[in-house]
Amino acid sequence: MVSPVLDNIMEKPVKHGSSERVIPILGVPCDAVSAFIKYLYDSMCTEEQMEKYGIHLLVLSHVYLVPQLKQRCSRGVSQRLTVENVVDVLQLARLCDAPDLYLKCLKQVTARFKAVEQTEGWKFMQEHDPWLELHILRFMDEAESRKKRRWRQRKEQRLYLQLSDGLECLEHICREGCTTVGPYDVETAKKPSPCDKYATCQGVQMLIKHLVLCKRRASGVGCCRCNRMWQLLRLHSSICDHPDSCRVPLCRQFKWKAQQKMGEDAKWKLLVKKVCSAKAMSSLSLPKRKREEELKETMGRTANALKTFRLY
């Protein structure tokens, strides 16, 4: 019932009328065979047996089609991988069709390649199985490419998240002000206290001050810092859903200009999409109560349009 292969062997008629029925199991230690037969009856395999005969039981479970034991052996052998045996287990996992164990071995070789490369198992594989060596090297190259791609994506995600934080700070400054910059029509008895994202907010305030006081901008030339502020205002306009009531300067003008040009270029649209995605992911990572508070704050914004700043 447990092994269909053994079942087929036992169902075959006995030759020459002999009543004796013998099934030879060769190539593995006798104790491993005993542990295998015991598992067929009680479905149990001790840690001591797995430590001594895990590889042999993996082979027997594959040959005699015992999937439960094969899965158990794959996990047990994968937990006992070392630099010295990982290449041998890798070849065995391929022959025994154990994909989970095979992948674990590949990752182990990739992580400790310098040490694995010095072992006898690796040198033997180089001489007798160059195709497997090529497959391992390709896997390592793909793993390195994935690692670089993930690093690049995380770096881009941080950049988009910084832009999203900058836009939030811009809206916050235009709505109620922060430390040294705020809306011109809001009277305050004292300077507003720093916000939660003051490091980013301070940078936006410095850009606003520079935009107001820049002599090159007044002459119509502009500079790189002015261009950054213009791009931040344009990016806000591309994302803003309520331009008629928005308090950020030039929001409606940028919206109207984009409509006159029949939309925006593909690169700018991609940037807007990435920043919106980063903002959404950031909001999802917040606690539920804080998300609800931010939603109420967004819905409760005043509807007064504003076109200038006040410098405190």
Side-chain angles (χ1 to χ4, degrees):
M1 292 175 64
V2 177
S3 171
V5 175
L6 286 174
D7 182 49
N8 291 334
I9 294 174
M10 296 174 67
E11 288 295 330
K12 289 183 179 180
V14 181
K15 295 182 178 180
H16 308 297
S18 174
S19 60
E20 184 180 0
R21 189 182 296 270
V22 178
I23 302 175
I25 299 179
L26 308 176
V28 293
C30 294
D31 291 339
V33 177
S34 298
F36 176 68
I37 299 298
K38 184 175 182 299
Y39 182 88
L40 296 180
Y41 283 95
D42 59 19
S43 300
M44 295 186 63
C45 182
T46 64
E47 289 296 323
E48 183 181 359
Q49 291 172 335
M50 187 59 61
E51 181 73 30
K52 292 182 178 180
Y53 311 114
I55 292 178
H56 305 100
L57 291 174
L58 175 64
V59 174
L60 291 173
S61 63
H62 173 70
V63 172
Y64 293 100
L65 297 180
V66 185
Q68 295 85 358
L69 179 59
K70 184 176 181 180
Q71 188 176 10
R72 171 78 174 83
C73 292
S74 295
R75 289 198 303 267
V77 173
S78 66
Q79 294 171 0
R80 295 168 173 82
L81 289 175
T82 64
V83 172
E84 295 296 331
N85 71 1
V86 64
V87 175
D88 297 330
V89 175
L90 175 66
Q91 298 179 75
L92 184 63
R94 184 180 61 167
L95 294 174
C96 292
D97 190 22
D100 293 340
L101 180 59
Y102 185 75
L103 182 59
K104 185 72 178 288
C105 292
L106 284 175
K107 291 181 178 180
Q108 181 90 334
V109 172
T110 302
R112 308 178 67 180
F113 181 70
K114 292 296 183 182
V116 172
E117 195 177 19
Q118 305 301 322
T119 62
E120 293 297 326
W122 178 267
K123 296 175 182 178
F124 182 85
M125 182 198 64
Q126 282 183 309
E127 296 179 3
H128 297 86
D129 198 347
W131 287 107
L132 180 58
E133 179 190 9
L134 179 61
H135 177 71
I136 294 173
L137 295 177
R138 284 179 176 174
F139 178 85
M140 294 173 57
D141 184 63
E142 292 173 0
E144 184 66 22
S145 299
R146 286 194 299 269
K147 182 179 178 181
K148 291 180 179 179
R149 186 163 57 250
R150 286 195 299 268
W151 179 84
R152 185 170 59 252
Q153 290 173 348
R154 285 196 295 267
K155 185 179 179 181
E156 292 176 355
Q157 190 69 13
R158 285 196 296 268
L159 174 61
Y160 297 136
L161 188 58
Q162 289 174 358
L163 285 173
S164 175
D165 291 343
L167 293 176
E168 290 182 7
C169 291
L170 178 63
E171 294 180 14
H172 157 67
I173 292 169
C174 296
R175 192 167 58 249
E176 61 259 359
C178 183
T179 59
T180 60
V181 182
Y184 78 100
D185 61 346
V186 176
E187 296 294 337
T188 55
K190 60 180 181 178
K191 294 182 180 181
S193 57
C195 60
D196 296 337
K197 300 178 180 178
Y198 181 66
T200 303
C201 197
Q202 186 182 28
V204 176
Q205 292 180 60
M206 293 176 64
L207 285 177
I208 293 173
K209 290 180 179 180
H210 175 82
L211 183 67
V212 173
L213 303 174
C214 182
K215 296 180 179 180
R216 294 182 64 183
R217 183 189 66 83
S219 63
V221 180
C223 64
C224 61
R225 298 182 68 183
C226 290
N227 291 336
R228 289 177 187 172
M229 190 63 211
W230 287 122
Q231 289 173 351
L232 193 63
L233 292 169
R234 181 189 173 191
L235 184 59
H236 163 81
S237 176
S238 300
I239 296 175
C240 184
D241 296 327
H242 43 84
D244 295 332
S245 60
C246 183
R247 296 178 64 87
V248 177
L250 304 176
C251 182
R252 280 185 295 178
Q253 284 84 341
F254 276 117
K255 283 278 188 187
W256 179 81
K257 190 174 181 180
Q259 293 173 358
Q260 292 296 316
K261 289 184 177 181
M262 301 299 292
E264 297 168 327
D265 58 272
K267 289 185 178 180
W268 186 262
K269 288 182 178 179
L270 181 61
L271 174 63
V272 172
K273 182 180 178 182
K274 294 287 188 180
V275 172
C276 290
S277 176
K279 184 176 181 180
M281 295 298 294
S282 176
S283 64
L284 289 175
S285 64
L286 294 174
K288 182 179 180 181
R289 181 179 299 177
K290 193 167 184 179
R291 289 204 305 268
E292 292 176 351
E293 291 176 357
E294 289 190 355
L295 181 60
K296 290 179 180 179
E297 181 183 354
T298 303
M299 296 177 65
R301 289 175 182 170
T302 59
N304 298 324
L306 183 68
K307 297 296 179 287
T308 55
F309 297 102
R310 166 182 290 188
L311 305 181
Y312 296 118

